[in-house]
Amino acid sequence: MSPLLFFFLVLPLLLESKAKAIEAGDNCSLITHQITGKIGGVINYSSRLGKEQKVAMEMAVEDYFRSSCSKQLTLQLEDSGGDSSRVASASILIRSTFVPINSTDTCLPELTPSAYNNSAATELISSKQVQSIIGAMTAQETGLFSEVDMNMKNIPIISLTSPAITPPSMPHQLPYFLQMSNHITLHMQCIVDIVGHFKWRKVTALYEHKNGFSAYSGIITLLSDKLKDVNSEISYHSDLSSLSSISNPEITIEQELIKLRSKSNRVFIVLVSSLELAILLFEKANQMRMMEKDYVWIVTDEIASLLDSVDSSVVNNMQGVIGFKTNFARTRDTFKRFKSRFRNKYGSKYPEEEEYSNPSIFALRAYDATWAIARAMEKSQGKITSKELSWNILSSNFEGLSGTVRFENNVLWQSPSFQIINVVGNSYRVMAVWSPKFGFSQSEEKYNGATANSSLKNLGPVYWPGGMPSTNPRGWAISDADIPLKIGVPAMGAFKQFVRVTFDQTQNATCVTGFTINVFEAVVKRLPYSLPYVLVPFYGTYDEMVEQVYRNGLDAAVGDTEIMADRFQYVEFSQPYVDSGLVMVVTQKAETSQTTWMLKTFTKKLWLLMIAMHVFIGLLVWLIERGNNTEFDGIGTMLWFSVTIIFYAHRQPLTSNLSRLVLTPWLFVILIVVASFTASLSSAMTVSRLEPSVVDIETLQRTNAPVGCNGNSFIVRYLINVLLFKPENIKKIDSIHDYPEAFETGYVKAAFFVEPHAKVFLGKYCKGYTKAGPTLKLGGFGFVFPKGSPLAFDISEATLKVIESGELRQFEELLSSSNCTSQTTAIDTSSLGLEPFAGLFILSGTIAAFGSLVAIFRLGRNVHILSYIQTELTRRRIWRWASIQLSRKCSTKETSSTQAC
């Protein structure tokens, strides 16, 4: 073979080999100055989250080596054993150096994870001198140890803890502390939007108390403040210890769940928890039947993002759970390639978990955090200070696997969005995508301002714990064993028509009936769930019954209970089912009418109109008749005619049809008005009126008159505190039947009732009593509940439905059907006005106006108005000029005619 042929055959193979060597990292010889650095990592080797982060960080170093051939970019990993505070002991001996490397060194990454105990880790870190740390430490934990070792303040630390919490002092205490996760406020806002959508009024918050630190306790305050925006609150919060800090986790979790189950709230939010604690929590909750109907469980990103990494048994224990997980681009080629490599590497390291080896968002963030540090080191050609390294990391801006890696105020700044998920079957379904700007939207493709929605409406059914989708859980329960609510009813009310308590000896049971009970039963039927309850008679005042609800002696109170502002300080009221006000009732007294002057029978306007029309009609008839009728001579005749026609006593005959046309409608008007005058005057002079014996409250106070009211109601203190009655003048009356006797004997001069009671009293005792003075508006009758009770909202909504359906009106008709019907009808003796006769006056006036026009025309003819016009024109020489011009025109026409002939 010739040398030339050999050269052409061998050269391509050499070039291919060289290309492969470069691709594999053998291009190190081309680099004359390479970076070196040490990245420390503190993660939990035993947790799923730590395993994913460990694999991702190792892959990041390998990938960075391939791209830059950085032999001495080493990764020093330390096992925290579930205690992230070990980072402090590892960080005490941190130092930072950059060493230029020889270009002839082999280009292989040095991966040295360690799994020693705490003392071994301290020795390892002190000898390896890392330049930055990545780990699951919080700002509070790091801040505490920075007080011991000042180097902690000068070392770049990237925290992988989710969510990111930024104490106010962090920028000054830890200027180089960065957080590779979304801010806590985004998580809280998503939770609040979910709670607000389903209108849950109370929630229970659970969070894991890690490492003896209270870093997460501030989340409760933050969530509580934001829940106020949707009229909700935290009724109870549970502080769960981490699994590594308790000797018997199963018993501890079970005891805490027993405590939660004993409370009425059924909405549980797992705010912060490790996956291992959450797995045990839901396992025990399922065993204790707390994953059944009426329960609600919400998990945050820390748990929801790892559901792809757990086996089916864990998913089965979480059926019906809803939550949110960080949304990222899963369809990009870079993620697909990373996912394939990650699954292979993870499966080889942890073969027992090979089936569930998909990377979560936390693995992606660990990968991106490692890359961010490596890129920051690459910017320097020699030694670099911690400040410069931190600045390089903070200025990072590249497209990572988790999204755009960019920091703002030391926190990862990405355009955040969460997938709202619902655990169903062997996995979960994505119900919506949420973002702080647009709220909920149906899918990622429709995720924009034009299609985003503010609620989860029409996004499909939610599969709640307990099986098939149904109505949304109310979020609370009565008790563990469906113990009925103990609802108090007033047994000593004065008006038994509203609440009547009797004892049925045949059934040996207490019976409670009445208008209020009927309304409450109708309201309960309108609730979307069953509400077991028992009515308990309360033998005390209404204020004492309200106090028992406040002190949890009663679960609620149902009765004719007035909604008062001072009661709102202790309890809550439902929507009022009956409007109310304070009414004063007094006796009636008979008084003979003082309307003896007949002029008061008509109003002044009607009297003036009658006189004016009489004179006008008489004058008009006189003008029409005076020329042809000798009976209408002189003004006196006209006036007498105007008077006599009132009594139809006029004797002058009418010769003109126009006069008859004008007078006929007016005679009809006189007939109607005179009849009305007679009836009204007779009534005013003969009928007696019933008037209140006391006109107003001031009269009672001025005369120190005794007044009565229901002694068990709020009216007693209202009369004293608001209306300023003297206590000795207030008489307490216990029954509606005692009021008539109290009035007759003079024991009271007036009685005060709430308006519904006043209607019943006046309906029962139809004669002799009446309302006096203005009605003082009150809040109405409502049902009483403890402060913050979620049942108050549901009952209010159901009450409105009963009112709108007309069912309440039927109960009110039944309440008034027992009242007497022969009530005294009030006689209206007020003066008659123009309104009843307006049509007659318009008709007569129109005809009279027409007659007046005709009369004026005839009058003008009788005075030879045409002769008068001719005389005036002649005097002014206009008539003479017109006659001459007319004569000339006629002569011209005659001449023309003659010539033509």
Side-chain angles (χ1 to χ4, degrees):
M1 180 180 297
S2 66
L4 183 62
L5 180 61
F6 176 81
F7 175 78
F8 282 107
L9 291 175
V10 174
L11 181 61
L13 297 177
L14 293 175
L15 293 176
E16 183 180 359
S17 176
K18 183 63 176 179
K20 290 182 178 180
I22 293 174
E23 184 180 359
D26 290 339
N27 62 331
C28 297
S29 59
L30 302 178
I31 302 175
T32 60
H33 192 88
Q34 302 178 29
I35 67 167
T36 182
K38 298 179 181 181
I39 302 175
V42 180
I43 56 179
N44 183 7
Y45 284 10
S46 62
S47 69
R48 170 70 194 205
L49 183 61
K51 294 175 182 178
E52 288 192 16
Q53 292 171 340
K54 179 177 181 294
V55 172
M57 293 168 69
E58 292 173 351
M59 290 178 62
V61 173
E62 292 175 356
D63 292 347
Y64 192 80
F65 163 71
R66 291 192 181 94
S67 65
S68 63
C69 192
S70 297
K71 169 195 170 185
Q72 294 189 21
L73 177 61
T74 59
L75 181 65
Q76 305 289 338
L77 296 179
E78 176 68 21
D79 183 12
S80 69
D83 185 0
S84 62
S85 64
R86 293 189 180 189
V87 68
S89 62
S91 302
I92 292 177
L93 300 177
I94 289 177
R95 300 293 183 266
S96 58
T97 64
F98 266 108
V99 180
I101 67 171
N102 193 307
S103 61
T104 60
D105 292 340
T106 58
C107 193
L108 294 174
E110 182 180 349
L111 305 177
T112 58
S114 60
Y116 304 109
N117 56 27
N118 192 25
S119 58
T122 303
E123 182 179 356
L124 178 63
I125 298 298
S126 64
S127 62
K128 292 300 181 181
Q129 296 184 350
V130 298
Q131 298 163 276
S132 62
I133 292 179
I134 303 173
M137 70 289 291
T138 66
Q140 188 174 12
E141 293 166 354
T142 308
L144 288 175
F145 287 105
S146 68
E147 299 297 328
V148 179
D149 179 20
M150 296 299 295
N151 289 327
M152 290 285 290
K153 296 182 178 180
N154 303 319
I155 294 299
I157 299 175
I158 298 183
S159 173
L160 300 178
T161 304
S162 178
I165 302 175
T166 55
S169 61
M170 192 187 74
H172 306 286
Q173 187 178 12
L174 299 171
Y176 308 136
F177 185 87
L178 291 77
Q179 301 187 73
M180 195 76 176
S181 57
N182 291 320
H183 199 269
I184 181 65
T185 55
L186 298 176
H187 291 234
M188 296 300 102
Q189 187 58 52
C190 185
I191 293 174
V192 168
D193 284 355
I194 294 174
V195 172
H197 169 75
F198 293 108
K199 300 180 180 179
W200 293 316
R201 301 303 166 191
K202 290 187 176 183
V203 300
T204 297
L206 297 86
Y207 68 95
E208 184 177 356
H209 197 75
K210 299 180 180 179
N211 310 325
F213 294 97
S214 57
Y216 299 103
S217 59
I219 297 179
I220 300 299
T221 303
L222 178 61
L223 179 60
S224 179
D225 291 340
K226 287 189 172 295
L227 284 173
K228 294 177 182 178
D229 297 338
V230 293
N231 297 322
S232 184
E233 62 178 344
I234 298 176
S235 63
Y236 179 78
H237 63 89
S238 177
D239 183 359
L240 304 174
S241 300
S242 60
L243 296 182
S244 60
S245 63
I246 50 180
S247 58
N248 197 331
E250 293 190 3
I251 295 179
T252 302
I253 296 298
E254 187 173 342
Q255 290 175 347
E256 188 63 31
L257 289 176
I258 291 174
K259 186 188 302 183
L260 296 178
R261 190 176 60 182
S262 65
K263 301 181 181 299
S264 61
N265 186 59
R266 290 293 182 265
V267 180
F268 303 107
I269 303 175
V270 184
L271 288 176
V272 178
S273 171
S274 63
L275 178 63
E276 291 70 28
L277 177 61
I279 291 174
L280 180 59
L281 176 68
F282 284 107
E283 179 182 352
K284 287 298 178 182
N286 197 24
Q287 294 175 2
M288 297 173 62
R289 305 184 67 181
M290 294 179 66
M291 299 297 296
E292 297 184 354
K293 187 178 179 182
D294 293 334
Y295 282 89
V296 176
W297 290 88
I298 301 174
V299 296
T300 57
D301 187 35
E302 193 173 13
I303 304 302
S305 289
L306 293 174
L307 290 180
D308 292 320
S309 307
V310 297
D311 58 33
S312 58
S313 63
V314 176
V315 176
N316 290 335
N317 288 331
M318 297 178 64
Q319 292 296 299
V321 171
I322 59 176
F324 60 91
K325 56 182 297 187
T326 300
N327 187 31
F328 61 90
R330 294 173 173 83
T331 59
R332 292 191 306 173
D333 293 337
T334 53
F335 172 75
K336 292 179 180 179
R337 290 193 296 269
F338 173 82
K339 178 180 178 180
S340 177
R341 294 172 51 224
F342 181 91
R343 288 177 58 89
N344 293 333
K345 190 175 183 64
Y346 191 93
S348 63
K349 278 183 172 290
Y350 311 103
E352 69 280 2
E353 301 180 23
E354 182 178 3
E355 184 179 356
Y356 310 99
S357 56
N358 291 321
S360 67
I361 183 64
F362 307 111
L364 305 185
R365 287 173 178 167
Y367 183 94
D368 290 342
T370 307
W371 262 84
I373 295 176
R375 289 167 64 95
M377 291 178 176
E378 188 180 11
K379 292 181 180 180
S380 174
Q381 298 296 326
K383 286 190 176 182
I384 184 172
T385 64
S386 297
K387 183 177 181 179
E388 292 173 337
L389 178 60
S390 300
W391 175 253
N392 290 341
I393 297 174
L394 284 172
S395 61
S396 298
N397 190 353
F398 65 93
E399 195 67 26
L401 292 175
S402 62
T404 302
V405 178
R406 182 167 63 92
F407 293 93
E408 185 169 321
N409 296 326
N410 289 26
V411 176
L412 180 67
W413 186 260
Q414 294 177 337
S415 179
S417 64
F418 296 119
Q419 291 181 333
I420 309 301
I421 65 170
N422 181 204
V423 180
V424 182
N426 295 326
S427 183
Y428 58 84
R429 56 182 290 265
V430 178
M431 298 190 298
V433 176
W434 178 91
S435 75
K437 185 176 181 180
F438 301 120
F440 298 104
S441 60
Q442 293 186 0
S443 65
E444 296 182 48
E445 289 75 12
K446 296 181 180 180
Y447 176 65
N448 54 63
T451 61
N453 301 317
S454 59
S455 69
L456 288 169
K457 188 177 180 181
N458 300 326
L459 298 185
V462 180
Y463 290 80
W464 300 106
M468 296 299 293
S470 59
T471 57
N472 297 331
R474 62 179 183 262
W476 60 273
I478 298 170
S479 65
D480 295 341
D482 290 332
I483 299 175
L485 287 178
K486 187 167 63 174
I487 299 179
V489 293
M492 301 176 63
F495 290 81
K496 305 300 181 184
Q497 292 86 348
F498 288 85
V499 178
R500 180 185 298 274
V501 178
T502 58
F503 184 77
D504 189 347
Q505 295 182 351
T506 59
Q507 298 182 0
N508 192 28
T510 300
C511 298
V512 184
T513 57
F515 169 78
T516 299
I517 305 303
N518 293 337
V519 174
F520 181 71
E521 291 175 348
V523 168
V524 171
K525 291 179 181 178
R526 298 273 180 170
L527 294 175
Y529 48 82
S530 175
L531 181 68
Y533 64 90
V534 58
L535 299 177
V536 179
F538 183 82
Y539 295 90
T541 66
Y542 285 80
D543 285 337
E544 291 172 346
M545 183 175 67
V546 171
E547 184 179 358
Q548 282 298 307
V549 175
Y550 168 68
R551 299 187 181 279
N552 296 324
L554 295 171
D555 296 318
V558 171
D560 45 350
T561 310
E562 191 69 41
I563 300 176
M564 303 293 296
D566 55 352
R567 291 174 175 173
F568 255 116
Q569 299 177 11
Y570 309 102
V571 296
E572 286 191 5
F573 286 90
S574 68
Q575 173 77 20
Y577 61 90
V578 171
D579 293 332
S580 180
L582 191 64
V583 175
M584 183 176 72
V585 175
V586 298
T587 56
Q588 293 176 323
K589 63 178 182 179
E591 182 176 340
T592 305
S593 175
Q594 299 298 320
T595 310
T596 57
W597 181 237
M598 67 177 183
L599 289 179
K600 292 185 178 181
T601 304
F602 286 164
T603 61
K604 185 183 295 185
K605 183 186 295 185
L606 183 57
W607 277 118
L608 293 175
L609 184 60
M610 286 289 297
I611 293 172
M613 285 294 292
H614 271 300
V615 174
F616 177 70
I617 296 296
L619 176 61
L620 182 58
V621 173
W622 177 74
L623 289 176
I624 296 173
E625 294 288 335
R626 64 183 292 270
N628 302 320
N629 194 339
T630 58
E631 297 290 336
F632 286 87
D633 291 333
I635 300 299
T637 303
M638 186 252 320
L639 296 176
W640 178 248
F641 177 78
S642 299
V643 174
T644 55
I645 58 175
I646 298 177
F647 309 101
Y648 299 95
H650 54 285
R651 298 179 179 274
Q652 295 86 345
L654 300 179
T655 59
S656 174
N657 291 330
L658 182 61
S659 300
R660 298 188 184 100
L661 177 64
V662 171
L663 189 59
T664 298
W666 181 242
L667 292 176
F668 184 70
V669 172
I670 292 175
L671 174 65
I672 301 300
V673 172
V674 169
S676 300
F677 176 84
T678 303
S680 180
L681 183 62
S682 300
S683 173
M685 298 182 66
T686 59
V687 176
S688 298
R689 293 187 303 171
L690 297 177
E691 295 183 347
S693 59
V694 180
V695 179
D696 51 31
I697 294 175
E698 289 74 13
T699 302
L700 295 172
Q701 295 172 329
R702 186 174 60 253
T703 59
N704 282 329
V707 297
C709 66
N710 182 2
N712 293 323
S713 72
F714 75 98
I715 301 178
V716 176
R717 55 187 173 85
Y718 191 90
L719 294 177
I720 297 174
N721 299 332
V722 180
L723 299 183
L724 303 179
F725 276 90
K726 296 179 180 179
E728 59 270 18
N729 292 335
I730 299 175
K731 310 299 179 182
K732 299 178 180 180
I733 302 176
D734 298 329
S735 173
I736 186 177
H737 306 290
D738 296 335
Y739 284 96
E741 183 180 354
F743 276 114
E744 292 173 3
T745 60
Y747 183 66
V748 296
K749 295 298 183 181
F752 286 89
F753 303 97
V754 290
E755 193 170 12
H757 290 173
K759 291 180 180 179
V760 173
F761 177 78
L762 295 176
K764 186 175 183 63
Y765 301 98
C766 304
K767 297 182 179 179
Y769 304 97
T770 186
K771 292 192 295 185
T775 299
L776 304 178
K777 189 65 177 177
L778 297 176
F781 289 174
F783 306 122
V784 187
F785 299 94
K787 202 72 175 176
S789 172
L791 184 59
F793 177 83
D794 294 343
I795 289 292
S796 295
E797 185 176 6
T799 300
L800 290 175
K801 293 179 180 179
V802 171
I803 295 174
E804 294 171 357
S805 66
E807 197 171 358
L808 180 65
R809 185 173 62 253
Q810 298 176 6
F811 294 138
E812 290 176 340
E813 292 174 354
L814 292 175
L815 179 64
S816 61
S817 63
S818 59
N819 299 336
C820 57
T821 57
S822 60
Q823 299 185 24
T824 303
T825 303
I827 303 297
D828 185 9
T829 58
S830 59
S831 301
L832 287 174
L834 176 62
E835 289 77 12
F837 316 107
L840 296 176
F841 276 101
I842 292 173
L843 176 63
S844 179
T846 302
I847 296 176
F850 171 75
S852 64
L853 292 176
V854 176
I856 291 173
F857 177 78
R858 289 181 178 180
L859 179 64
R861 187 182 59 182
N862 292 337
V863 298
H864 306 288
I865 189 170
L866 295 178
S867 299
Y868 172 78
I869 293 174
Q870 182 180 353
T871 302
E872 287 296 316
L873 292 176
T874 302
R875 185 174 65 83
R876 296 177 182 271
R877 297 182 180 181
I878 297 175
W879 180 263
R880 181 180 178 185
W881 175 83
S883 299
I884 294 173
Q885 293 296 326
L886 184 62
S887 299
R888 289 178 178 177
K889 187 174 293 188
C890 290
S891 299
T892 303
K893 288 183 179 182
E894 290 177 356
T895 304
S896 300
S897 298
T898 303
Q899 291 177 355
C901 294

